[in-house]
């Protein structure tokens, strides 16, 4: 990737991140923290690529790559489940039907 | 060539969906939809990656994905809502660890070429390692595995020295023509130690801010490693999280009136606070019957839940009581301090679990002006967030932290297990005020008794 193109991507992504959550209400801080935690679970994709390029004859490379993929997958899956469970609980007055489902 | 085009286009779509998913999380109405889209995008990104040309080791890859995802899925499904903060911390640490491991493998393969790439690889490795070990410590503390907040003598000097040495090693790695394995290993070890000693002295209400900060760190680390791998999806997702996490961290620190530098370098420590000066009066006890009648005949009751309610698992009982009072014509609302619980917004999640609708839940800024109009403020297991000392006593460690102005209600009822000080160890002036009454007992049992009496009053 060209150096400057990357800097543009970094900058625009940073502004986007800042803007996207700038008006989030306090009641959603925990789910949002958890949700953004889930999003960086995309590191799994990078971990798969490096493990895929590791030398199959090198136990060290395979081990590091395995750890990377394992941790990345756990980050993504755990982040998703926990966020989804929390969000499933929010409901508005007079719609108590979803309570049971949320507790599960 | 077409495979590459297809993969790149998919990653682009995934990055867009991630941004929209985070955007959707700024309202409780759309939030759940957002996370579901995000989940679909994540699965798509994973599947598409299998098609990347030139990959091998698929057996190991699938084994790692399946085992990692299964462990996390199971633990995430079974964890109790009160233990959520430490789960968020540990999953975050895993992301940081993954980013650091990516860098480690790129070094091991000798695939890091050029100053810019090497710099970003080292930065990502440093930040990722700190996020990993820091999150592990945060998890251990919140889980109660690590009880003491131990501080080294001259902690800050040690932190700075260690950070400088680690950065020095990083610079040496970047400057070297060929990769020196000893140097790389020493660098990773020191970075991991740095994360651990930075986090170990931190406790109490500062913990959520630290978790949020580490979350932002992991995002940055992922973004930097994305550059090393030439993968824009990682760059965009990582940096978006890095930036939004930084903003979130600032919002939280502001809610407690504690600059982030204070959180890291001068942690709140209960022992250090003699505090207590100028507190006069005595604590006055109240019975569940009295509490029930005061609330039953009030027109407005504000409930202030704290961690004491959460650990007792009393949120369901509290909501049952609130509904009973509402049937009797009492207006009941919930007031939540931004750092009530063990994580900002954690209390909202716990109340939501009990079925309390979110439009009955108000945060500090929305409700503080209403306390003088309320007949009763019912404080359940909250302490520091209602301590008026934060407004009045300059020598107190929590001076300046915004609090819920519970003391301004006409009557204050505090449900509390014993007479001791709270989590931070700071004496609470509220309990000694003339308009305050103490209802001793665990939240679960005290509220159950109140419910019985409220029901009796209906007749």
């Amino acid at each position: 990737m060209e150096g400057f193109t990357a800097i543009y991507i970094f900058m625009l992504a940073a502004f986007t991140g800042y803007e996207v959550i700038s008006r989030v209400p306090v009641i959603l801080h925990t789910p949002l923290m958890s949700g953004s935690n889930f999003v960086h679970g995309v590191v799994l994709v990078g971990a798969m690529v490096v493990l895929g390029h590791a030398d199959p004859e090198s136990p060290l490379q395979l081990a590091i790559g395995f750890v990377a993929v394992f941790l990345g997958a756990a980050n993504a899956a755990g982040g998703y489940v926990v966020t989804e469970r929390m969000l499933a609980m929010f409901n508005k007055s007079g719609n108590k039907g979803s309570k049971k489902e949320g507790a599960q | 060539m077409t495979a590459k085009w297809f993969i790149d286009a998919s990653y682009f779509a995934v990055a867009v969906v991630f941004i929209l998913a985070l955007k959707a999380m700024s309202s409780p109405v759309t939030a759940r939809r957002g996370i579901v889209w995000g989940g679909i995008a994540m699965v798509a990104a994973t599947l598409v990656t299998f098609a990347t040309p030139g990959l091998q080791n698929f057996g190991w890859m699938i084994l790692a994905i399946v085992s990692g995802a299964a462990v996390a899925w199971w633990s995430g499904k079974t964890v109790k809502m009160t233990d959520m903060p430490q789960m968020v911390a540990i999953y975050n640490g895993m992301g940081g660890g993954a980013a650091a491991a990516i860098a480690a493998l790129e070094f091991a393969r000798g695939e890091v070429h050029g100053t810019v790439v090497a710099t970003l690889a080292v930065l990502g490795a440093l930040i990722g390692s700190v996020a990993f070990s820091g999150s592990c410590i945060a998890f251990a503390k919140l889980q109660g595995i690590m009880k003491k907040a131990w501080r080294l003598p001259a902690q800050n000097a040690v932190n700075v020295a260690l950070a400088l040495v680690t950065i020095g090693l990083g610079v040496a790695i970047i400057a070297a023509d060929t990769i020196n394995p000893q140097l790389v290993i020493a660098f990773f070890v020191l970075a991991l130690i740095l994360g651990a000693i930075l986090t170990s002295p931190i406790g109490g209400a500062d913990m959520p801010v630290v978790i949020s900060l580490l979350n932002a760190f992991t995002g940055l680390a992922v973004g930097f490693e994305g550059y090393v791998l030439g993968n824009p999806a990682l760059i965009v997702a990582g940096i978006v999280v890095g930036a939004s996490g930084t903003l979130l961290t600032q919002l939280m620190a502001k809610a407690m009136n504690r600059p982030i530098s204070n959180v890291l370098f001068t942690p709140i420590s209960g022992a250090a606070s003699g505090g207590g000066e100028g507190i006069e009066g005595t604590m006055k006890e109240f019975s569940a019957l009295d509490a029930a009648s005061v609330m039953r005949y009030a027109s407005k009751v504000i409930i202030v839940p704290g961690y004491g309610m959460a650990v007792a698992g009393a949120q369901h009982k509290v909501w049952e009581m609130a509904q009973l009072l509402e049937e009797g014509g009492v207006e009941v609302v919930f007031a939540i301090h931004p750092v009530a619980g063990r994580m900002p917004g954690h209390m909202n999640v716990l109340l939501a679990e009990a079925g309390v609708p979110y439009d009955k839940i108000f945060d500090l800024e929305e409700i503080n002006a209403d306390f003088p109009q309320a007949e009763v403020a019912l404080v359940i297991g909250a302490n520091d967030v209602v301590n008026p000392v934060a407004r009045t006593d300059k020598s107190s460690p929590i001076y300046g932290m915004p609090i819920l102005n519970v003391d301004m209600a006409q009557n204050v009822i505090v449900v509390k297990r014993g007479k001791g000080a709270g989590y931070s160890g700071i004496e609470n002036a509220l309990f000694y005020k003339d308009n305050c009454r103490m209802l001793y007992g665990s939240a679960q049992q005290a509220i159950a008794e109140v419910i019985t009496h409220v029901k009796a009053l209906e007749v």
Side-chain angles (χ1 to χ4, degrees):
Chain A
M1 205 177 315
E2 296 294 318
F4 263 99
T5 314
I7 294 178
Y8 278 109
I9 298 178
F10 276 127
M11 181 195 69
L12 292 174
F15 276 107
T16 308
Y18 216 84
E19 281 304 310
V20 153
I21 72 144
S22 56
R23 276 176 300 278
V24 60
V26 173
I27 85 163
L28 284 173
H29 276 181
T30 288
L32 181 73
M33 197 200 290
S34 176
S36 59
N37 182 7
F38 158 72
V39 167
H40 64 53
V42 74
V43 71
L44 168 63
V45 167
M48 287 168 69
V49 171
V50 288
L51 174 58
H53 286 132
D55 179 359
E57 303 297 311
S58 161
L60 175 71
Q61 290 190 16
L62 284 181
I64 302 176
F66 186 87
V67 169
V69 175
F70 180 91
L71 293 178
N75 179 187
Y80 179 82
V81 172
V82 160
T83 313
E84 207 274 336
R85 269 185 69 191
M86 283 195 255
L87 290 176
M89 290 172 181
F90 285 97
N91 58 333
K92 234 181 156 168
S93 283
N95 125 46
K96 287 170 191 157
S98 60
K99 186 185 157 188
K100 281 270 149 47
E101 185 194 335
Q104 196 259 324
Chain B
M1 221 53 226
T2 37
K4 178 154 180 6
W5 187 89
F6 172 71
I7 291 168
D8 284 346
S10 308
Y11 283 158
F12 176 76
V14 164
V16 172
V17 174
F18 280 159
I19 292 172
L20 291 176
L22 281 180
K23 178 83 193 153
M25 293 190 71
S26 55
S27 156
V29 181
T30 52
R32 193 170 176 197
R33 221 179 304 152
I35 190 71
V36 173
W37 294 339
I40 295 168
M42 188 71 81
V43 171
T46 310
L47 292 179
V48 161
T49 305
F50 278 108
T52 309
L55 289 197
Q56 45 190 355
N57 305 322
F58 285 112
W60 290 114
M61 208 182 285
I62 290 167
L63 182 65
I65 293 174
V66 171
S67 53
V71 169
W73 192 274
W74 175 79
S75 58
K77 276 284 181 203
T78 50
V79 65
K80 282 190 301 197
M81 277 293 150
T82 32
D83 294 339
M84 224 36 129
Q86 52 263 48
M87 294 320 286
V88 175
I90 197 72
Y91 297 141
N92 172 49
M94 289 172 163
I102 289 175
L105 185 48
E106 290 295 90
F107 283 123
R109 287 174 58 218
E111 279 298 316
V112 183
H113 304 294
T115 315
V116 179
V117 172
T119 306
L120 287 173
V122 164
L123 269 179
L126 173 65
I127 301 171
S129 304
V130 167
F132 176 70
S133 57
S135 299
C136 289
I137 298 282
F139 171 82
K141 289 188 149 203
L142 290 168
Q143 186 72 17
I145 298 169
M146 192 175 148
K147 292 234 167 65
K148 273 203 202 122
W150 54 269
R151 284 176 71 76
L152 301 166
Q155 172 94 37
N156 291 343
V158 174
N159 288 351
V160 172
L162 186 59
L164 287 177
V165 174
T166 316
I167 292 169
L169 284 179
V171 172
I173 294 172
I174 297 164
D177 293 332
T178 51
I179 285 155
N180 175 347
Q182 276 96 2
L183 212 58
V184 174
I185 292 170
F187 169 77
F188 275 101
V189 171
L190 288 188
L192 289 171
I193 297 176
L194 181 63
I197 69 161
L198 265 178
T199 330
S200 67
I202 297 167
D206 285 341
M207 215 63 214
V209 182
V210 172
I211 297 177
S212 176
L213 187 64
L214 293 172
N215 186 34
F217 274 14
T218 302
L220 284 181
V222 171
F224 291 160
E225 297 310 330
Y227 182 87
V228 174
L229 298 173
N231 187 323
L234 258 67
I235 299 181
V236 171
I239 300 299
V240 164
V241 171
S244 62
T246 307
L247 176 59
L248 198 54
T249 311
Q250 282 174 351
L251 289 175
M252 289 176 195
K254 218 168 100 193
M256 300 166 57
N257 197 30
R258 304 231 327 130
I260 294 168
S261 56
N262 277 14
V263 171
L264 287 178
F265 299 116
T266 50
I268 291 180
S269 120
S273 67
E277 53 158 310
I279 297 180
E280 284 169 12
T282 49
M283 293 195 200
K284 294 163 287 290
E285 216 175 319
F286 216 31
S287 73
L289 174 61
D290 294 331
S293 36
V294 170
M295 285 192 281
R296 176 65 186 78
Y297 298 111
S299 60
K300 179 164 184 162
V301 173
I302 302 180
I303 301 180
V304 180
Y307 194 68
M309 179 202 77
V311 286
Q315 59 268 37
H316 301 273
K317 278 266 172 270
V318 171
W319 176 227
E320 189 188 335
M321 182 193 77
Q323 283 171 306
L324 267 178
L325 291 172
E326 282 190 327
E327 279 160 27
V330 185
E331 184 194 354
V332 183
V333 292
F334 291 81
I336 314 276
H337 191 275
V339 295
R342 287 295 179 266
M343 205 152 128
H346 186 203
M347 194 56 64
N348 305 86
V349 174
L350 295 173
L351 290 180
E353 184 195 13
V356 181
Y358 60 77
D359 48 9
K360 288 202 174 298
I361 303 176
F362 296 89
D363 64 29
L364 183 127
E365 278 158 29
E366 293 171 322
I367 204 157
N368 248 351
D370 293 353
F371 278 105
Q373 284 95 53
E375 279 91 342
V376 184
L378 176 68
V379 178
I380 310 169
N383 192 348
D384 297 328
V385 298
V386 293
N387 192 344
V389 156
R391 282 200 311 261
T392 55
D393 181 0
K394 285 209 166 104
S395 68
S396 169
I398 59 167
Y399 179 73
M401 177 172 122
I403 53 156
L404 288 163
N405 295 327
V406 165
D407 55 323
M408 293 179 182
Q410 290 150 36
N411 297 286
V412 183
I413 303 173
V414 177
V415 178
K416 197 170 177 313
R417 277 177 39 188
K419 298 189 182 185
Y423 191 60
S424 71
I426 303 163
E427 197 60 47
N428 195 334
L430 172 73
F431 304 160
Y432 299 91
K433 289 222 160 204
D434 288 338
N435 60 343
C436 180
R437 300 281 184 282
M438 312 298 290
L439 176 54
Y440 292 113
S442 88
Q444 181 83 23
Q445 159 241 326
I447 299 298
E449 276 179 47
V450 172
I451 289 176
T452 331
H453 292 300
V454 171
K455 277 185 184 155
L457 288 169
E458 296 295 328
V459 189

